[in-house]
Amino acid sequence: MQLTYAVLGSGSMGLRFGLLLKEHLGAQVDFIDTWEEHIKTVTEQGGVYQSRDGKDRHLVPIPLQRPEEYKGKPDVLLVFDKQMHLATLLERSQHIFLEEQHVFTGMNGVGHIEALNRYFVPEKVLAGTCLIGTVLKGAGDVDFIGKAGSGSVNLAAQSGNLDAVQKQIVADFGTSNLTPHPTDNFLGTLYTKVVFNSVINTICTLFEIRMGQFIDYEGAEKLGRQLIDEAYDVADLAGIKPLGSRDEEWQTIHYVSKVTSPLHYPSMYQDMSKGRQTEVDYINGYIYDLGQKYGYQAKTHDFLRHLVHLAENTRKYR
C-alpha cells in the first residue's frame, strides 16, 4: 500500500517526518504551513535547508503552501503545531479534510486530540509522542539532532487497535528511520511524553541549557524524580497508566539527555529564545490542573509553570 502524505504544520518536527518519508520511501509528501516568513523563504530559495547536528547543510527542494492554496487529497495528514495555534490551523484547513483520511499527530502537550476529534472520526486518529530532537534554526532551515535513526516515536490508535492504514503508517515510519513503537495505551502514551517534557523542556528552558547540560548536573535526578513523582501521583488519581514505571520514566529522561540528544535545546526553549509563547500550560500546567480535579496539589509543576510565565513577562523590559 503506497500512501500519500501532507504535513499540516511544517515546522521542525513536521519537516523531519515529511523529509524522511520522502528520502527513504520516495513517498509523495506535501507541505503546508501558516508562518508567512517560512513560506516566503522556502519559496524564494526553492526548498528547505536540511542539516544534521549542524553539518552537511543542503537544500531539499519542496513546495510550501498556505492551507488555502492547497488542493491535494492526501491519504494521511501529519499534524504538527503548537497547542495554542492548532484550532486556527484546523479551521483554515477544513477544505482539505476527507472522510476517508487518516491523521497522525505527534504534538507536545495535551489538548490536540480534542481539537482533531471535531473534524475527524476518532477511529482514524493515530497519536504519537516523539523523543526526537529537531530544531528549526530559522525560516526554511531545519537541523536534525542526533545520528540517523536516533530517537523514537511511541504511538497508539485512539480506537485502541491499529487498522490496515495505520499499520502501513507505522511501517512507513519504520522504513524512514523514525523508529516507531506501537502501543495499545492511548492516554498513557500521551501522558508519558507530557511527563518527559515537564522535566526536560521546562528546566532546560528556564536555565537556557541543552539536555546534556541538564543531565550533567549531579542533582538532575533529584529534580527529575520530584516532578515525575507528582505527575505519577496525578496519573494514579486520574486512572491513567503511563507506559512505564516512575523509575523507567527517569531512565528514559536520562538516556535521551545523555545518549540520544545531549546537544538538543528542547522545543520550549526554542520558543522562549525566539520570543514566542510557550506551551507550558499544556505540559506542567496540564499536570497541575488535572491534579486539582482530584484534590491533589502538584505544586512543583505549578511553580515551574509560573516561573516560565515570569520569564515570558520579563521580555517587555529588555
Side-chain angles (χ1 to χ4, degrees):
M1 183 189 307
Q2 182 68 56
L3 299 174
T4 60
Y5 292 88
V7 179
L8 194 57
S10 299
S12 59
M13 200 62 70
L15 284 172
R16 184 158 188 161
F17 273 71
L19 293 175
L20 287 177
L21 285 165
K22 283 177 65 68
E23 176 185 347
H24 292 280
L25 284 175
Q28 178 185 325
V29 184
D30 301 321
F31 295 87
I32 304 162
D33 204 71
T34 58
W35 181 22
E36 288 298 326
E37 183 184 353
H38 193 35
I39 297 166
K40 181 175 182 289
T41 300
V42 171
T43 301
E44 289 178 350
Q45 65 193 22
V48 62
Y49 280 100
Q50 175 187 325
S51 54
R52 186 176 292 278
D53 292 331
K55 301 175 182 178
D56 186 31
R57 185 172 181 265
H58 60 282
L59 185 67
V60 181
I62 63 165
L64 181 60
Q65 298 175 278
R66 299 171 185 82
E68 294 81 4
E69 299 167 339
Y70 183 67
K71 306 300 181 186
K73 296 182 179 181
D75 300 315
V76 183
L77 290 171
L78 306 179
V79 180
F80 291 93
D81 202 356
K82 299 298 180 184
Q83 292 283 353
M84 50 280 194
H85 303 148
L86 181 61
T88 299
L89 175 64
L90 294 175
E91 184 177 349
R92 289 180 60 177
S93 306
Q94 291 183 65
H95 65 282
I96 300 171
F97 305 154
L98 304 170
E99 186 176 351
E100 63 272 18
Q101 267 174 344
H102 282 68
V103 179
F104 168 80
T105 180
M107 292 170 52
N108 284 334
V110 171
H112 51 302
I113 302 304
E114 291 80 1
L116 288 169
N117 284 347
R118 298 189 187 104
Y119 296 93
F120 300 97
V121 178
E123 288 76 16
K124 293 187 182 293
V125 175
L126 181 67
T129 57
C130 307
L131 297 173
I132 302 174
T134 311
V135 176
L136 192 64
K137 299 171 74 173
D141 193 350
V142 66
D143 191 4
F144 297 174
I145 306 300
K147 297 178 181 178
S150 63
S152 61
V153 184
N154 293 319
L155 70 178
Q158 191 171 181
S159 66
N161 297 297
L162 298 173
D163 64 22
V165 174
Q166 290 167 337
K167 289 178 181 177
Q168 185 61 53
I169 295 170
V170 173
D172 287 353
F173 286 179
T175 303
S176 302
N177 274 348
L178 290 163
T179 318
H181 298 293
T183 83
D184 58 3
N185 181 354
F186 187 72
L187 288 178
T189 297
L190 297 177
Y191 192 80
T192 298
K193 180 64 184 303
V194 171
V195 179
F196 179 95
N197 285 341
S198 75
V199 178
I200 284 295
N201 278 33
T202 311
I203 293 176
C204 287
T205 297
L206 286 170
F207 291 91
E208 301 181 336
I209 55 176
R210 302 174 192 264
M211 291 168 64
Q213 293 171 298
F214 164 71
I215 209 64
D216 185 62
Y217 170 53
E218 63 180 11
E221 182 171 356
K222 185 173 183 180
L223 287 172
R225 285 186 180 274
Q226 180 171 336
L227 290 162
I228 290 168
D229 282 342
E230 282 190 1
Y232 272 60
D233 288 348
V234 171
D236 288 343
L237 291 168
I240 298 172
K241 184 174 177 56
L243 295 182
S245 66
R246 298 175 191 228
D247 284 342
E248 289 169 329
E249 181 72 8
W250 169 250
Q251 291 306 321
T252 297
I253 291 171
H254 184 276
Y255 181 80
V256 174
S257 300
K258 189 175 184 64
V259 178
T260 305
S261 303
L263 301 178
H264 184 51
Y265 286 108
S267 59
M268 189 186 293
Y269 167 85
Q270 296 174 45
D271 289 335
M272 180 71 79
S273 65
K274 291 180 172 62
R276 299 190 296 251
Q277 183 183 357
T278 72
E279 293 180 288
V280 70
D281 286 330
Y282 301 91
I283 300 173
N284 299 82
Y286 169 77
I287 292 170
Y288 177 77
D289 293 343
L290 182 60
Q292 283 277 82
K293 293 181 180 180
Y294 300 94
Y296 181 91
Q297 297 278 326
K299 293 182 178 180
T300 314
H301 286 279
D302 195 38
F303 181 68
L304 288 181
R305 167 170 57 174
H306 284 289
L307 285 182
V308 171
H309 285 319
L310 174 60
E312 290 174 326
N313 190 66
T314 60
R315 292 174 186 152
K316 63 189 179 185
Y317 299 107
R318 295 178 185 174

